[in-house]
Amino acid sequence: MNQRSFVMAACAMAVTAGAWARQSNEIPAPKQTAQVVLRHVDVRPCTPGATPITDGWVVFEGGKVSALGAEPMAASAAKPDAYVIDAPGHVLTPGLWASATTLGLIETAQVEATDDTTEFGEFHAEIRAATATNPDSDLPPVARNAGILMAHVFPQGGVVGGHASAMRLDGWTVMDRTANADAGVIVHWPMMEPVQTRWQQKTADEQRKDRDKAVAAIDRFFDSAEAYLRARKADPSLNKDARYESLRAVVEGRERVLLDANWPGQIEASVLWAVRRGYRPLVVGGLGAPDVAPLLVKHKVPVIVRGINRLPLRESDPYDTAYSVPAKLQAAGVEFSIASGDEPAHERSLPSQCGRAVAHCMDATRALECVTRVPAEFAGVGDRYGTIAPGMSATLVLWSGDPFEIGSVVRRAWMDGGEIDLNDRQKRMHGKYLEKELQRTPMPPDAAPVMAPDQPPAPNAPKDPAP
Amino acid sequence: MRHASSIAGPRQSKFRALLTTASLGAVSFMLAETAAWAQQAPPAAMRPVDVRRDAIVNVTLVATPGERLADAVIVMKDGWIERVGARGSFELPAGTTVHDGAGCIVYPGFIDACVRVDSSAAARAAAGENGAHWNAKVVPQVRAADLPTLGADQRKELRALGFTAAAIHPNAGIFRGSAQVSLLGDEPRAARTVRENAGTCVAFETTGGNDDSPDAWDRATYPGALIGAIALQRQTFADAAWHAQCEEVWRAHPAGNEPPVLANALTALHAAAAGKERVWFDATDERNLLRADALAREMKLDAAIVGSGREYRRLAEVRAAARPVVVPFDFPRTPDVQTPRAVDAVPLRELEHWALAPTNLAELLHAGVPAAASTVRLKDVGGFAKAARRAMDCGTTEDELVAALTVNPARMLGISEVAGEVRAGRIANLVVSKGPIFGEDSKVREVWIAGLRHEVDPASKFPLKGVYALAAPDTAGVFTTLPESVTIDADEKRLSFGLPKPAKAEDGKDATDARETKPAEQPAMKDADGKEPRGERGRRGPAEAPSARGEGANFDDARAGFTIAGKPLGIEGTLRGSVVATREGAEIALITPDGRTVRWAVPATARTGDAPDPKKEREAKGGEGAKDAGDAKDTGKADAKGDSKSDSKPDAKTDPKPVLAAIPRTFPMADYGIEKPVAPKSVLVEHATVWTVSDRGILKDADLLVKDGKIVAVGQGLRSKVTDSGQDVMVIDGTGMHVTPGLIDCHSHTGIDGGVNEWTQNVTAEVRIADVVNPEDIDWYRQLAGGLTAANQLHGSANPIGGQNSVVKLRWGDPVAAFPVKGAIPGIKFALGENVVRTKTRYPSSRLGVETLMRDRFQSAREWRAAQERYAALPAAERERTMPPQPDYELETLAQILEGKRLVHCHSYRQDEICMLLQVADDFGFKVGTLQHILEGYKVADRIAAHGAGASSFSDWWAYKMEVMDAIPWNGQMMWKAGVVTSFNSDSDELARRMNTEAAKAVRYGSVPREEAIKFVTLNPAKQLRIDDRCGSLEPGKDADFVIWSADPLSVYARCVQTWVDGVRRFDLGTDREMRERDLRTRNAIIALAASDWGREGEGAGGGGAGRGGRGGRGRGAAPAGTAPPVDGLRSGASLLSRMRGAQQDRLMEMVRSGVDPESVRPGECGCDQADAWNAMFEVTGGEGGVR
């Protein structure tokens, strides 16, 4: 077989991708031109029912996976001029998803000007997250170093908060990066039970009244939307209402309604509301979902579990309440995905949060699906992203080991077949101040460039770069 | 007259004695006639003659709790009790007005030890005077004696409960002023002062950082947090003692000395600071009680406590404190069992509190704590009676309750010589009650105050009462059915007619019902109701409960008017009736709608029996209702509400006592409370992988031997070294497990009550986190479940020089006294950067001013210490005539830093400010303990290493604000490599539960060897806190703090199996599961009680705020629905401030809505973000009812 090994330089300053990215400022990946073959790698396809392939191979070209299997690979599976990467001991997964995140909408929480998460008012169904996810934000490159290549971005605030969008975390422009602009409409469901704390000045009755008012307002909004859409159907000359127009897909059951609900009462009430209206609900948050699992199963309502590293809702709850939500939902037969529930800068905790769920009795294979295939489906792009299967996007992550372990490092990653620049702001700062050390302790002029201690050579890198 | 003369002597001499002591300021009791008459207008006509000798006869007397005298006589003269005895044991003096109290019980007049009055105006005035304290909340010079007296309605309300005297407490401020004991009568001589200065009142009040004026949102006023309130108390008592000393020096040696400044506030506290006057601490929860006690011990005060009602939760400690406690009766509302899922959100502590609050008084008394029952904290004072009844249902005896209302408060208030018992020589304060006090149907009939009668619910003067047979009326033929009897009961406002037993009424059903539902010997009742004519309802009169009616007939002293449905008598429409009565008999008339009148003459001799007991009738009605329910249409609904249960068993009211007795007495009294910690004498863990965190590294298949809380040995084959007998040794098979030292968090805000930031001043070195440690915070337990055993509790980072830290071990299940790590060097929190300059209206508002402020304060501390030392070095004679330097806890603390006795833990991010601080420290000659967060430490690691400070960092947090944009996760490794002692911390209630995987990030980012990485969360923080001689590694001689993990602790898959602190097992997976089941059982039992008739009856009992909420008593999460906690009078009103608070509340609600506990501290906030909002909220309930 006439194979040409594709040699990559791996160094601290820039885990750069060969000839096309000499700068270290996270140049978006170009279109895939050559076929890439990964061999002797542990493949986690994440397709339903699939088990991990230890010592497998994957071929992708034109941005899509063309074939995969267990070694030995037939010689005919790859083109003669394919780039072949030998990765024994490494793990290949689909790109991970950051769900229910604000990645790209905010840079620094305490600098208001960098915050586009929240629109004014209570009912703004018409806004879309995709509009202002900043392609040059410093945060996504950091997340990519935790294998997170895709994001289901949620605007915040309001009661009907607008459209979530499915985003690729690589690309030059918002257009490049948008995978699905209308990936669900968010409804922040009110607290159903009165809350009595020392700062709560309202009585239980007052709170119940507030709650009823809030629920009635949601109902009124959707009633009006449905009435408008009916009227408009009957009379297309009717003036357009941007807010209600944006709910068309939701009302027709094509787009999900994303119910932000954590407490069991919130979940119950909001799900019953959506079911009554004939919408397609999805619960976001879901810390209390195990308490209402039968209801969720009955109506086939899935859940985005927003955070494993969370404190319990209630003082009485067991310390491991949040840790064990996935295991409980799995046992109950509820469909769910896992989100970090963290600030966008800390999305990188997602893999280890999954690991914690596994430590608390969740199935590891399912856990990986909860951050790949399932969130892709929830974001409406499950036909393209989320699994490693022929015809699916070659959006892939090559890990140094178990993706959920903190010690594991992302070696290489591809977005639709194009190799991603894995540099980021933090690596740049690291390199800069390693340079400070270097200046203070001069080294021989012919010494090798500074290496980050945790960046052993990537697969196929030269074994000994020093002369 | 024999008696009179024999009693006058001692009484008058006692009175003189009281006057004498009054002049000493101890007791003033002014019952002198002149005082009473001084306010009387000159008589306009003839001089009124005041006959002032009364006797109450024919009563049962409870002279003092436990001392009963049947058929007693009590003689009162001129406001005093003259003589008490059994009837016939002495002769009544001539001219005595005799009052027949037939059937009544007489108790000593009740005393309320704490009635609050609004003193905010006086406080404001005092704070603006010359000589005022710098802090507007320090106004001890306010005197309740100078405040307007209680309003007439308020006095009447208290009298209706039997109170005859009350201690009036001012309610505004931290030092609120002095209390006064007054009588509660209406006339001047029954409203006199019994004791003018009954102690000074102190509260743990805070401003929430802002004063009350609407334009003051930006103006931070001290204290904003509980730590500040306590520090202010400490400093003020010390100042008062110092000021008194200055005055002494000045009096003795005026020459050459500057006179002490005018300080009205401090002067008012001289006696209290010297322990010569009682200090009343307002303890809004049981932890504040213990804090008050601790402060009183420290400052040597004579403290008493206005309690919270939660004292039973800390009985052992409260007993040890041995402070008198005023017990409020504002029991929580019954938990909401109707709103779906609402009760699930109620923490067990609140459910237990609902159940056990009525036992609090008895628990205290049984423990030997002097306790008085009071109306304090009740929103509706009238709720006291119901609450008292519930307390008795829960096991408080009548004698205990009476003691808590009489002798106990009298003793606490220092008036037991004149009040609290019915004895000759005491003030003539009595309660006359129909039936045992606060019994089911008992009523206070009247109270006597200083010998003057105040009626509450007087017996009617109507001359007839009972059931009377009716002869034929004067006019026959008007009625088809003639009533056979009439029941007259003016006390119950009841007038009803009995119909013939085999009723011949046209409505046969009525008669049948009447037969079935009434005891045969009782005549069927037909009611007269003065209020509404009986229409349709009248038809079923006999079948309906008789007790529901018959009230409302309008009686005066000799006449009554009423209406009655005519149907049972065979007349359409409503009859009007009237009664005219004398002692000899009554004339009864009924007038038909068409104007015919039927009259009966009823002689008194026709009386056939007593009027039925209304209570029994009510029960009979219940039984009847149940039978009716069988065919009633609304049965289903009633069943759903559970009403039928009580109806079907009218006599079997749920007895709460078995449920209460079954509640496990854990510590804390809350979810996951510990009954008895597991503390074997020796522990042997065998065949585990032991991370020694010493030179020996990680040992495979090794043993760990622990004895008496210390590590004895680590190594192979230790079983042979076990010397204890089998039962004292716990052997744990550690095969496949890993053992590490207990994890240590060098930056925690867990378990801090009342706000972590005293940010209202730029320097608050005087505040102490140790004052407000909360051993009940559930997060301690959750963190133990993640292997944490010790924490550095830090003040927040909102000001450059914050408060003193507290280094604790997580001894969940032990009282707070067990928490501090012995031997830890005291520390203090400093802070730099964005947080401390955020307040733009004070210095420093830039990083520039931070440095200069610090230098200025250190210089000040240096000079202050020098002055102190100069004074101490003076020869004794010289010192005596020299004004002493003022005590200053702030400068004292800073001086300790300069002397190397206190470690600085400094919140820092940017490299420039890090270098600045290190330079300041170098210049002042001390070493910084740790740099906290230190996210740019990697930029200046060499500088930090050169100074020798430790670095306590986040593993990988960044981007939440500008100054952390350059943070990188290699930071820890780079500082470690430069030789800095480096740790990873949490700064988070949540993150502190998984510090083991934080250590793993030192491996991930920078390849720190595993043996070194584990030190980031064990030995290194121990070194930084200077407790590495006892914590941080598994070496013989060290404390037995260790964790057993299911796998490699640096793996995300490792679970904490057991956590041991000092050889005591504080967490165990198996025990955790058992506790879940135990708590669920308790929870369900209490919920069942709440759903019972007993529970529903408690709806609104006492009117108190239910569910003050509470993370460890702090306001965690949701709690039972009820009214909002009472708000102190000072801080109500719709000011801008309260509106802003409303906005904050919405923010906090939004957090709850999205499943986040607003009280949990998150990394990077350092108590600076939500805490601000939090503190502002705090003020809302700070005065009353706020649980911290």
Side-chain angles (χ1 to χ4, degrees), chain A residues 189 197-201 208 260 263 268 310 315-316 346 348 356 402 405 425 436 440 454, chain B residues 336 341 349 671 939 942 956-957 965-966 1004 1051 1053 1083 1117 1145 1152-1153 1174 1178 1187:
Chain A
W189 202 261
T197 69
R198 63 202 176 103
W199 47 262
Q200 177 58 267
Q201 290 170 281
R208 279 191 209 97
D260 173 29
W263 294 78
E268 258 171 359
R310 284 179 78 165
E315 183 169 335
S316 303
H346 303 140
R348 63 178 158 204
R356 203 164 297 274
D402 179 346
E405 276 288 13
R425 178 190 173 93
K436 179 189 169 205
R440 302 212 164 183
D454 72 323
Chain B
D336 178 0
R341 298 194 178 276
R349 77 176 67 248
D671 292 291
K939 297 182 178 177
D942 48 349
D956 62 353
W957 283 70
M965 287 311 287
D966 277 1
R1004 161 68 177 82
S1051 165
Y1053 301 119
R1083 162 175 291 270
Q1145 184 178 314
V1152 173
R1153 194 201 62 73
W1174 182 244
F1178 200 79
V1187 177

Side-chain angles (χ1 to χ4, degrees), chain B residues 124 208 219 239 248 275 279 306 371 404 453 582 585 623 646 665 745 871 1035 1037 1103 1126 1174:
Chain B
R124 261 191 285 273
R219 194 166 65 236
D239 285 347
E248 250 170 57
V279 183
V306 179
R453 179 157 77 164
T582 66
S646 64
R665 296 315 201 254
D745 185 358
Y871 177 76
E1035 293 175 275
W1174 182 244

Side-chain angles (χ1 to χ4, degrees), chain B residues 144-164:
Chain B
D146 297 336
L147 297 170
T149 53
L150 294 183
D153 288 349
Q154 222 176 337
R155 292 199 306 270
K156 192 172 167 192
E157 213 174 13
L158 287 166
R159 288 201 302 265
L161 296 164
F163 288 105
T164 57

Side-chain angles (χ1 to χ4, degrees), chain A residues 316-457:
Chain A
S316 303
D317 289 337
Y319 76 93
D320 60 356
T321 301
Y323 299 160
S324 57
V325 165
K328 286 181 183 158
L329 292 183
Q330 191 188 348
V334 177
E335 194 188 7
F336 65 98
S337 70
I338 296 177
S340 78
D342 217 328
E343 290 169 29
H346 303 140
E347 281 294 349
R348 63 178 158 204
S349 69
L350 180 64
S352 67
Q353 296 205 43
C354 292
R356 203 164 297 274
V358 172
H360 288 78
C361 304
M362 195 203 180
D363 178 70
T365 304
R366 283 287 299 276
L368 188 62
E369 291 170 18
C370 283
V371 287
T372 53
R373 174 174 53 83
V374 183
E377 285 167 5
F378 290 173
V381 293
D383 55 338
R384 285 178 282 157
Y385 293 97
T387 59
I388 305 177
M392 295 297 284
S393 162
T395 296
L396 306 169
V397 184
L398 185 65
W399 305 78
S400 67
D402 179 346
F404 294 162
E405 276 288 13
I406 285 170
S408 298
V409 177
V410 173
R411 292 282 187 238
R412 302 171 74 158
W414 295 265
M415 172 67 75
D416 291 319
E419 180 147 18
I420 292 173
D421 178 353
L422 285 175
N423 198 14
D424 64 28
R425 178 190 173 93
Q426 299 198 320
K427 288 179 176 173
R428 287 201 300 277
M429 290 308 295
H430 185 205
K432 179 175 173 183
Y433 279 88
L434 286 176
E435 189 65 29
K436 179 189 169 205
E437 264 176 42
L438 207 61
Q439 288 178 4
R440 302 212 164 183
T441 47
M443 293 177 75
D446 55 346
V450 180
M451 297 282 293
D454 72 323
Q455 298 289 339

